[in-house]
Amino acid sequence: MIETAQIAKRFAQAQQSYTQQATAQLQVAQQLNQLIHAHVPMQKLQNVLEIGCGSGLFTQQILKYQALKQVYLNDLYPEVKQYFAQDLRLKWCIGDIEQLELPQSLDGVFSCSALQWMKDLEHLSQRIYNALNSDGYFCFASYAEQNLKEIKALTGQGLQYLNCDQVVHLLERVGFDVLHSEYQGIELYFDHPYAVLKHIKATGVHATAQGFRWTKTSLNQFCEDYQKFRHQESGQYVLTYHPIWIIARKK
């Protein structure tokens, strides 16, 4: 089990470079925002919570919602506050969301590229269900089993992901009505395996590497082995993201 403190440390180290490097995460955030607009009555979203706000990649979309009166922002470490302008609508919930007491009477709970780190998603989903108003919405993007598959194949490091169907069934057990679910592969291309590692470090997703240390030998071996993931036509090296998007409503 990956320690929460390690996740916080790795993402804190990556925050300065995250916005520039998180190209896949930006696509995921934009798609989540489009799905929310397509499936959720926007006038209902007055009191909401975002889990794992980070540097605000998705938060900036939330803050444009016309009816919004109050948004609780959660992240593991208080340093994220520096990325947000003063806004009277913002309330902070700093710490491990699986341990914190949730705000109540929420119209919506959102999360983008964070829930894959949860130790017990079903228990958290039950608590979210209880915190939502009737007909409240739980909308999120996470990642599924093929995420960063190249890194896991070569290093053995990575999360144990649920697939999209498993997440849907989990939410239905809790009591949610899943209005929409989808998944997609996103491939990023890099000029060298070193650039792949630089990208991973810059976005914090290397927080999975618990106890893993690179040596000159293992680094050279990684670059050699990554040849199997080289695109034949372009000569570039692929890295796969496997996002899922869920729009669920409290029955």
Side-chain angles (χ1 to χ4, degrees), residues 63-82:
L63 293 175
K64 296 175 184 176
Y65 296 171
Q66 298 268 328
L68 191 69
K69 293 182 178 178
Q70 189 164 245
V71 54
Y72 295 91
L73 293 183
N74 159 260
D75 212 293
L76 289 169
Y77 54 100
E79 288 81 2
V80 296
K81 294 180 182 180
Q82 67 185 292

Side-chain angles (χ1 to χ4, degrees), residues 42-218:
M42 302 304 291
Q43 70 275 12
K44 286 191 172 185
L45 298 178
Q46 298 184 31
N47 188 35
V48 304
L49 163 68
E50 184 189 2
I51 298 170
C53 64
S55 57
L57 200 64
F58 183 66
T59 318
Q60 301 309 317
Q61 304 299 322
I62 296 175
L63 293 175
K64 296 175 184 176
Y65 296 171
Q66 298 268 328
L68 191 69
K69 293 182 178 178
Q70 189 164 245
V71 54
Y72 295 91
L73 293 183
N74 159 260
D75 212 293
L76 289 169
Y77 54 100
E79 288 81 2
V80 296
K81 294 180 182 180
Q82 67 185 292
Y83 300 105
F84 297 85
Q86 191 71 25
D87 190 322
L88 294 178
R89 297 173 297 176
L90 299 185
K91 309 291 181 185
W92 288 97
C93 303
I94 298 298
D96 181 356
I97 197 65
E98 293 189 274
Q99 304 297 325
L100 293 176
E101 183 175 348
L102 298 182
Q104 299 296 301
S105 301
L106 297 169
D107 302 306
V109 175
F110 306 126
S111 184
C112 192
S113 299
L115 293 183
Q116 70 274 11
W117 299 102
M118 300 300 117
K119 297 181 176 70
D120 190 343
L121 180 60
E122 185 160 353
H123 184 250
L124 176 61
S125 297
Q126 183 66 67
R127 294 175 59 228
I128 288 170
Y129 185 92
N130 295 338
L132 285 167
N133 292 324
S134 59
D135 287 333
Y137 289 83
F138 184 22
C139 308
F140 61 89
S142 186
Y143 295 88
E145 70 275 12
Q146 296 299 310
N147 199 56
L148 306 178
K149 62 182 181 180
E150 298 85 2
I151 304 302
K152 193 166 190 177
L154 297 184
T155 69
Q157 301 292 316
L159 296 175
Q160 294 296 320
Y161 297 96
L162 299 175
N163 64 40
C164 191
D165 287 344
Q166 288 173 320
V167 174
V168 169
H169 293 153
L170 178 156
L171 293 170
E172 290 175 342
R173 286 196 301 272
V174 168
F176 282 103
D177 183 12
V178 178
L179 305 179
H180 181 88
S181 65
E182 67 175 83
Y183 59 91
Q184 177 187 346
I186 296 175
E187 293 183 343
L188 301 185
Y189 291 91
F190 300 87
D191 292 332
H192 195 278
Y194 284 119
V196 176
L197 291 179
K198 182 179 179 181
H199 165 80
I200 289 172
K201 185 175 181 180
T203 54
V205 296
H206 68 314
T208 57
Q210 188 169 19
F212 186 83
R213 294 290 181 271
W214 288 104
T215 65
K216 184 177 181 180
T217 300
S218 64

